[in-house]
Amino acid sequence: MKKLVDLITDEIQQSFEMAGYDASYGIVGLSNRPDLCEYQCNGALAAAKTYKKAPFLIADDVAAKLAGSALLEKVEVVKPGFINIKINGRFLSDYLNQIQNDKDLSIEKVKEPKTIIIDYGGPNVAKPLHVGHLRSAIIGESLKRIGRYMGNKVIGDVHLGDWGLQMGLIIAELRERQPDLVYFDPEYTDEYPNEAPFTINELEQIYPAASAKSKDDDQFKEKAMEATHQLQQGNKGYMALWNHILTVSVTDLKRNYKKLDVEFDLWKKESDAQPYIPDMVKYLKDNGYAHLDQGALVVDVKEDTDTKEIPPCMILKSDGASLYNTTDLATIVERMKLFHPDEIVYVVDKRQELYFTQVFRCAKKTKLVDEDTKLTFQGFGTMNGKDGKPFKTREGGVMRLESLIRDIDEEMYKKIVDNRSVKADDARKTARIVGLSAIKYGDLSNVAAKDYVFDVDRFTSFEGNTGPYILYTIVRIKSILNRYEEEGKTIEKGTILPAAGESEKDLMLETSKFNGIVEQAYEERAPHKICSYIYELSNSFNHFYHETKILSEKDERQKQSWIALLDLVREILETSIDMLGFSAPDKM
């Protein structure tokens, strides 16, 4: 469905042409003075220079051609040449009825669907998820959902860190703690146990202990490096341990991501890219892309237009060892082979921009990706506490994601119990739903690239620009609709009448913006645009609700119209929060 502002623009452009002026001057936008008008065209001001004519005279000529328009209710010229516009109430209600009957709620799907891989999450195995993983998961999940809603094939990949020295550290530490395990017996030939010799809690203690030890104990670090080498050479016992580490870690990661309502299509790992490295390195050498620099194999990626130094992309260290660059490039090779994506989007900390510039340029220059394959860096800022520093526990440590979710759920539970609107049995479940909205909306309502302050008190409030406020609005609408149906009546689509008052028209205008906002959020990869929209839509609904006695209205046709409008608002709000990655309860 065409956007309402585009329909108005078409009408205004025709009038410019009819009046003898170029149609390109007839662009219409939302008014920045809603007290005066709903839409505005400033094209006459720009046209004045071309046509050497006073702008208000040009605007008068255009306005005269708009007389009798079925789309516009009022057109007013204001000096020096603004064209102020109000839309016709009947046209607006008809437009909303079309949205209501459109299975996509007026969204125009992309004409040429793309295959897009979104790389988000990026946790390391054997480590618990902490608040530093939150933004990648939340932003990536929302971008995936928005992309799918627009009609693309979007594949979410968690891309686990499961290779390299961290694995050697764990194996070396485990060997010191439990030297008698069969995995360390070179003479052992039977099947290895199915059950891991550690729990997730033990595993999460082993890694930091080993990491700390390696910094002070050179001998232990050597053992860890040797264990890493043995693992990468295929040592059977170490491979079995590695598989246990993966199984235990991934089970726990899936449990925690589920609490965030984040789902990955792929659980690919760094290790999956390893088989692609030898052929990739040979290809880079044979085709003259890579050369030796102080013993290391590198690809130059600097460009003449660079305003700052862009170092070469290192493929292999001087000792022949691979790096993150190597693995990431091999992962791109794997993705091109398996999925042939039109675009790969990396949702990562914005401080990694230089690194990804090197990797992307290397992949493009060496033709590891097709010429028209886009590689996109979606950098995000840090989540900070009220002190402006990265979010920590009260003791000053890095907060586990599980702990943050639990604390938010507990805060919401207290508020819901105090509200006494939900049965005690349902309060916990409702608290989890509303708590998730507080976390996700609190994050997504900010511009992704900017740092933001995670304020638990503000984010869990039922008032203001928060997730709980949005959900409270949806629940309020659901309650009205339920009571209407309890009267034995049916909600009928396509029965929205022209607005009976200003607050209703304001609500209808906000509702009509949905398609444009989603399109903009998709094109700019900006979930915060959807947050801003549903906040304004919620405000418009609540203003209308407080002014209007909906269910006690005597005119059944009017009541039916209001109910149909509310049902459309509910559907748009619920569709929007689904794109943001959370849902609404039935009661709060």
Side-chain angles (χ1 to χ4, degrees):
M1 246 178 93
K2 206 162 188 178
K3 297 189 288 291
L4 187 57
V5 69
D6 289 343
L7 293 172
I8 301 170
T9 293
D10 288 347
E11 186 99 345
I12 302 299
Q13 287 186 328
Q14 286 177 24
S15 298
F16 265 86
E17 271 194 322
M18 289 166 63
Y21 307 108
D22 194 284
S24 63
Y25 292 110
I27 301 296
V28 173
L30 288 170
S31 170
N32 56 9
R33 286 290 306 275
D35 54 320
L36 298 178
C37 58
E38 295 154 357
Y39 294 90
Q40 192 173 62
C41 174
N42 303 333
L45 300 172
K49 187 175 181 181
T50 302
Y51 294 97
K52 296 180 173 51
K53 191 173 182 179
F56 74 89
L57 292 176
I58 295 174
D60 278 339
D61 291 344
V62 173
K65 301 298 182 184
L66 290 165
S69 168
L71 198 158
L72 308 179
E73 178 182 289
K74 184 179 179 182
V75 178
E76 183 181 20
V77 174
V78 177
K79 286 188 176 181
F82 301 114
I83 302 175
N84 290 351
I85 301 161
K86 284 196 172 185
I87 193 166
N88 180 279
R90 169 59 66 184
F91 188 90
L92 179 58
S93 64
D94 287 346
Y95 187 78
L96 294 188
N97 285 322
Q98 289 179 59
I99 294 177
Q100 216 174 25
N101 287 299
D102 183 344
K103 63 181 177 59
D104 296 318
L105 293 173
S106 75
I107 299 293
E108 283 193 8
K109 304 289 187 179
V110 292
K111 290 181 175 62
E112 297 179 8
K114 296 177 181 177
T115 297
I116 302 169
I117 293 176
I118 301 187
D119 183 319
Y120 67 109
N124 291 315
V125 300
K127 295 182 186 178
L129 289 176
H130 56 77
V131 293
H133 295 107
L134 187 70
R135 298 213 74 189
S136 178
I138 288 176
I139 296 168
E141 181 70 16
S142 181
L143 294 179
K144 181 187 75 178
R145 293 182 181 212
I146 294 169
R148 284 179 179 171
Y149 196 83
M150 291 297 292
N152 295 295
K153 179 183 178 183
V154 188
I155 302 165
D157 185 3
V158 69
H159 195 62
L160 290 171
D162 73 324
W163 209 239
L165 183 58
Q166 63 175 7
M167 293 295 108
L169 287 166
I170 294 167
I171 291 169
E173 177 67 14
L174 196 62
R175 184 164 196 159
E176 292 205 351
R177 294 186 182 199
Q178 301 183 61
D180 296 331
L181 288 174
V182 294
Y183 308 94
F184 304 120
D185 181 358
E187 306 299 323
Y188 188 79
T189 56
D190 290 342
E191 291 290 321
Y192 289 105
N194 290 324
E195 192 170 333
F198 42 72
T199 64
I200 185 63
N201 289 332
E202 289 168 341
L203 188 59
E204 288 173 356
Q205 292 169 8
I206 289 170
Y207 175 72
S211 181
K213 190 185 293 186
S214 70
K215 292 171 184 172
D216 301 323
D217 187 338
D218 291 339
Q219 194 174 8
F220 177 77
K221 187 173 183 180
E222 283 294 324
K223 290 179 182 178
M225 291 174 71
E226 177 59 25
T228 304
H229 178 70
Q230 289 290 326
L231 173 65
Q232 294 178 351
Q233 293 301 308
N235 180 301
K236 289 184 178 179
Y238 290 3
M239 289 294 290
L241 276 175
W242 172 70
N243 277 310
H244 283 318
I245 294 168
L246 274 179
T247 301
V248 170
S249 292
V250 169
T251 300
D252 187 63
L253 287 169
K254 285 183 176 179
R255 180 178 62 84
N256 280 295
Y257 277 124
K258 187 175 182 181
K259 290 180 180 177
L260 277 177
D261 202 4
V262 169
E263 291 184 0
F264 297 97
D265 305 287
L266 302 176
W267 282 80
K268 287 285 187 177
K269 313 172 291 295
E270 283 180 330
S271 58
D272 291 322
Q274 300 307 307
Y276 294 88
I277 291 176
D279 285 347
M280 181 185 77
V281 171
K282 184 176 184 303
Y283 163 80
L284 295 176
K285 288 179 178 177
D286 290 350
N287 287 275
Y289 292 121
H291 66 274
L292 290 175
D293 183 353
Q294 298 180 23
L297 188 70
V298 304
V299 174
D300 288 328
V301 294
K302 64 182 179 181
E303 297 176 357
D304 294 339
T305 54
D306 290 336
T307 56
K308 61 182 179 181
E309 185 67 25
I310 305 294
C313 184
M314 191 181 296
I315 308 300
L316 296 176
K317 294 197 291 187
S318 57
D319 62 1
S322 59
L323 307 95
Y324 283 123
N325 308 47
T326 327
T327 302
D328 280 328
L329 287 166
T331 298
I332 289 173
V333 172
E334 180 190 26
R335 286 169 173 165
M336 292 304 294
K337 181 179 179 181
L338 298 180
F339 305 103
H340 206 78
D342 298 290
E343 184 173 11
I344 307 173
V345 181
Y346 292 79
V347 183
V348 286
D349 190 306
K350 66 181 180 182
R351 290 170 291 187
Q352 294 189 46
E353 185 170 11
L354 174 59
Y355 168 78
F356 278 98
T357 297
Q358 292 173 287
V359 171
F360 291 173
R361 285 188 181 183
C362 184
K364 285 285 188 181
K365 179 179 180 178
T366 61
K367 298 180 171 58
L368 295 180
V369 295
D370 295 340
E371 192 174 337
D372 57 355
T373 299
K374 285 183 69 177
L375 299 173
T376 303
F377 174 79
Q378 185 72 35
F380 56 80
T382 56
M383 168 183 156
N384 298 326
K386 290 182 182 179
D387 59 359
K389 297 176 182 177
F391 200 83
K392 302 277 188 183
T393 62
R394 287 174 183 166
E395 294 74 34
V398 177
M399 179 174 275
R400 290 180 64 150
L401 191 51
E402 197 170 12
S403 302
L404 176 68
I405 294 171
R406 186 184 60 242
D407 290 350
I408 296 288
D409 287 354
E410 195 58 39
E411 183 68 23
M412 293 314 315
Y413 175 72
K414 288 176 187 173
K415 291 185 177 183
I416 288 167
V417 168
D418 289 345
N419 208 23
R420 297 180 182 177
S421 57
V422 178
K423 292 179 183 177
D425 296 346
D426 298 328
R428 285 286 176 195
K429 181 182 176 183
T430 302
R432 285 193 294 273
I433 295 171
V434 182
L436 185 60
S437 81
I439 293 171
K440 287 197 167 186
Y441 189 91
D443 188 300
L444 293 171
S445 57
N446 298 277
V447 176
K450 293 185 177 179
D451 301 344
Y452 79 100
V453 173
F454 192 90
D455 186 336
V456 174
D457 294 331
R458 184 167 70 83
F459 289 176
T460 58
S461 173
F462 285 88
E463 298 176 356
N465 190 9
T466 69
Y469 170 71
I470 304 299
L471 296 196
Y472 193 77
T473 301
I474 295 171
V475 168
R476 173 175 275 170
I477 296 172
K478 283 182 176 180
S479 175
I480 296 168
L481 298 177
N482 288 338
R483 282 155 56 198
Y484 182 76
E485 289 182 317
E486 284 168 5
E487 295 175 5
K489 296 168 184 171
T490 305
I491 300 169
E492 294 186 23
K493 293 184 182 293
T495 56
I496 299 173
L497 301 172
E502 284 302 312
S503 66
E504 184 182 0
K505 191 174 186 186
D506 176 63
L507 176 58
M508 293 169 79
L509 285 166
E510 283 297 328
T511 305
S512 73
K513 296 174 188 174
F514 176 64
N515 51 10
I517 293 294
V518 174
E519 185 179 305
Q520 194 176 17
Y522 165 69
E523 289 175 350
E524 298 177 20
R525 288 204 171 87
H528 72 275
K529 302 265 184 186
I530 294 177
C531 293
S532 297
Y533 170 68
I534 59 176
Y535 176 57
E536 292 301 328
L537 182 58
S538 295
N539 283 341
S540 292
F541 162 74
N542 284 309
H543 184 207
F544 168 70
Y545 168 79
H546 288 300
E547 279 195 358
T548 312
K549 292 180 168 46
I550 298 166
L551 291 175
S552 60
E553 171 61 42
K554 295 289 189 281
D555 184 336
E556 281 300 323
R557 193 160 167 266
Q558 179 63 77
K559 188 198 290 190
Q560 190 179 62
S561 170
W562 286 339
I563 291 296
L565 174 59
L566 264 57
D567 192 46
L568 177 58
V569 172
R570 173 204 58 78
E571 194 172 0
I572 284 174
L573 286 172
E574 291 203 294
T575 300
S576 297
I577 65 172
D578 182 65
M579 281 189 264
L580 297 174
F582 56 95
S583 58
D586 292 324
K587 294 182 180 179
M588 279 173 68

